[in-house]
Amino acid sequence: MNNKKGNVLAIGICFFLFAMISFVTGLQNPMGIIAKAQFGATNFMSQLGNAANFIAYAFLGLPAGFLLKGKGYKFTALAAVSVGFIGVGISYLSGILGSFVVYLLGAFVSGFSMCMLNTVVNPMLNTLGGGGNRGNQLIQLGGSCNSLAATIVPVFAGYLIGEVTEKTQVADVNLALFIAMAIFALAFVIIFFSEIPEPELEAAAKETNKEKEGTMASIKGALSHKNLVFGIIAIFLYVGIEVGIPNVANLYMTDVNGLNIAAGVAGTLVGAYWFLMLCGRLVAGVIGGKVSSRAMMISVSSAGIIFLLLGMFLPTTATVSLLGAAIPVGVLFFVLCGLCTSVMWGAIFNLAVEGVGKYTSIASGLFMVMVCGGGILPLVQGAVADAAGYVQSYWVLIAALVYILWFALKGSKTNN
């Protein structure tokens, strides 16, 4: 009975941390607006905070995995929330000091924290669910908390910022920063006094000296599982798809040479994309115990390809009236892709670590490294948009979805 209660508490903590990942990551978007106003940043420079947040994953992904393997879930989670508190604190100081460099440092340190949190919560929820469909179900429910925070943050920060003027500054969102720091502090206390299952440490304790592996041997052992190799490529592409669809759609809608839709209307449609991700994850959380990860991935990747093709080839003259503006139906299909991307993270992770066993923590670290795809793939898409147009740039994402469909059909099969 006590073990079950402990598991329920541990699951609740993971859901809580899932929301924090999105809350802090989502702050980088409105902070980019502030960077332009307070620091005089260009559009390119305003996105460096977001890039710094993602690039941190490439630096810390594997070290976080080894920290998890050597110290366990509880220690890694405590370290992650501590780093998160420091990162948000640095962002607060950037406003006081009026320093763009300090602002970027805060985003980078916060990215370290998000990487460590992601490294912990995914395998922990998968383990608490016993792997398989139940493990995927818990990850999807955790993802719902993530999407809920992603939906709330831009609205909350936008309300705090109000009308953007030359006087807009970091201090305008101090309330959001203080809330984030308070939540990190609360999370530290809760985790510190909680009993969290440590299957990784228990497995390591049972290993003999001959069975224990060094760093490179562990990585090599993990990569001997083909489904994991194909899975980490899939996660790289997935994060790029998730970020690229709404980012480029927003540029396309607001560009005077594009659809020339008001920024407020375009932002609302982008918010709808993230809200649909929340809906998709909630549904997946309900049915995840009965529907396999493979079936989910085949369905959503196929639907995503169809939605993108419809968005690209439907004429812009076919419109519907929404929010007082004429919105091309094709754009709505881009927004609908939120339903497809909603379940991909958990399902890909679940399929990739199937049969990996003692290398699960290393696998999680490798996954975190590949999250940098969220910063790299949109750059590729942006380059194609510059050369061939916004609509044509979505071929990059269709190619990525085709790979993910192949992974679901064939690449996810285990060695045995």
Side-chain angles (χ1 to χ4, degrees):
M1 177 65 82
N2 288 335
N3 186 47
K4 287 185 178 180
K5 287 182 178 180
N7 283 356
V8 170
L9 180 60
I11 291 170
I13 292 171
C14 283
F15 288 172
F16 191 68
L17 295 179
F18 251 119
M20 281 306 301
I21 292 168
S22 187
F23 187 90
V24 175
T25 302
L27 277 175
Q28 299 308 318
N29 193 331
M31 289 293 281
I33 297 173
I34 294 171
K36 292 180 66 176
Q38 182 172 359
F39 306 125
T42 63
N43 285 319
F44 172 78
M45 292 173 65
S46 73
Q47 298 305 306
L48 289 177
N50 184 66
N53 202 265
F54 274 111
I55 293 299
Y57 285 82
F59 282 91
L60 201 66
L62 275 175
F66 284 110
L67 181 65
L68 176 62
K69 181 180 173 128
K71 297 294 185 177
Y73 292 132
K74 185 171 184 175
F75 182 91
T76 307
L78 289 172
V81 296
S82 299
V83 173
F85 183 91
I86 294 171
V88 176
I90 293 174
S91 296
Y92 166 70
L93 287 176
S94 72
I96 297 176
L97 300 174
S99 171
F100 184 67
V101 173
V102 175
Y103 157 68
L104 293 180
L105 177 62
F108 191 61
V109 174
S110 294
F112 278 158
S113 174
M114 300 309 100
C115 175
M116 295 169 72
L117 286 176
N118 261 313
T119 304
V120 171
V121 296
N122 287 284
M124 187 171 170
L125 277 180
N126 197 50
T127 298
L128 291 169
N133 291 354
R134 174 63 175 167
N136 178 44
Q137 184 180 34
L138 288 181
I139 294 176
Q140 300 298 349
L141 287 172
S144 299
C145 298
N146 186 277
S147 294
L148 179 61
T151 304
I152 292 173
V153 165
V155 178
F156 179 51
Y159 173 77
L160 293 176
I161 293 172
E163 184 180 352
V164 179
T165 69
E166 64 277 3
K167 295 182 179 180
T168 297
Q169 54 187 327
V170 174
D172 293 339
V173 293
N174 275 351
L175 179 58
L177 297 177
F178 291 155
I179 289 175
M181 293 171 72
I183 291 175
F184 276 130
L186 178 61
F188 185 94
V189 174
I190 293 174
I191 295 169
F192 184 83
F193 289 103
S194 298
E195 291 293 331
I196 297 178
E198 298 284 5
E200 297 280 345
L201 293 182
E202 292 172 7
K206 294 177 181 178
E207 288 183 343
T208 65
N209 289 331
K210 291 183 179 181
E211 293 173 329
K212 291 181 179 179
E213 297 177 320
T215 301
M216 295 308 299
S218 295
I219 295 175
K220 185 177 180 181
L223 294 179
S224 67
H225 296 267
K226 292 182 180 179
N227 58 308
L228 175 60
V229 174
F230 295 137
I232 60 178
I233 296 173
I235 213 68
F236 174 89
L237 296 175
Y238 157 69
V239 181
I241 293 168
E242 179 192 276
V243 175
I245 290 174
N247 280 13
V248 174
N250 200 16
L251 294 173
Y252 176 40
M253 286 187 283
T254 56
D255 194 330
V256 293
N257 296 316
L259 298 176
N260 197 23
I261 295 173
V265 175
T268 301
L269 289 171
V270 170
Y273 169 89
W274 295 107
F275 179 74
L276 288 175
M277 284 191 68
L278 167 62
C279 295
R281 284 170 170 171
L282 286 173
V283 172
V286 173
I287 68 173
K290 298 179 181 179
V291 180
S292 71
S293 300
R294 181 170 285 105
M296 277 191 189
M297 284 303 302
I298 292 171
S299 300
V300 297
S301 56
S302 298
I305 292 170
I306 294 171
F307 286 165
L308 287 184
L309 288 172
L310 287 170
M312 293 170 65
F313 286 102
L314 283 173
T316 56
T317 53
T319 63
V320 294
S321 181
L322 287 175
L323 304 171
I327 308 298
V329 176
V331 170
L332 298 183
F333 278 105
F334 290 151
V335 173
L336 280 174
C337 287
L339 290 172
C340 304
T341 56
S342 62
V343 302
M344 286 186 179
W345 174 278
I348 292 173
F349 184 88
N350 186 262
L351 291 171
V353 301
E354 188 70 28
V356 172
K358 66 178 182 177
Y359 298 116
T360 299
S361 59
I362 304 302
S364 185
L366 290 169
F367 261 58
M368 291 309 102
V369 171
M370 303 308 277
V371 168
C372 66
I376 296 174
L377 203 63
L379 289 179
V380 176
Q381 188 183 1
V384 176
D386 287 335
Y390 291 116
V391 173
Q392 298 305 316
S393 74
Y394 279 92
W395 284 117
V396 175
L397 304 188
I398 288 176
L401 281 170
V402 168
Y403 175 87
I404 290 177
L405 176 59
W406 172 83
F407 171 71
L409 290 169
K410 187 174 180 180
S412 59
K413 293 180 180 179
T414 62
N415 293 356
N416 295 323

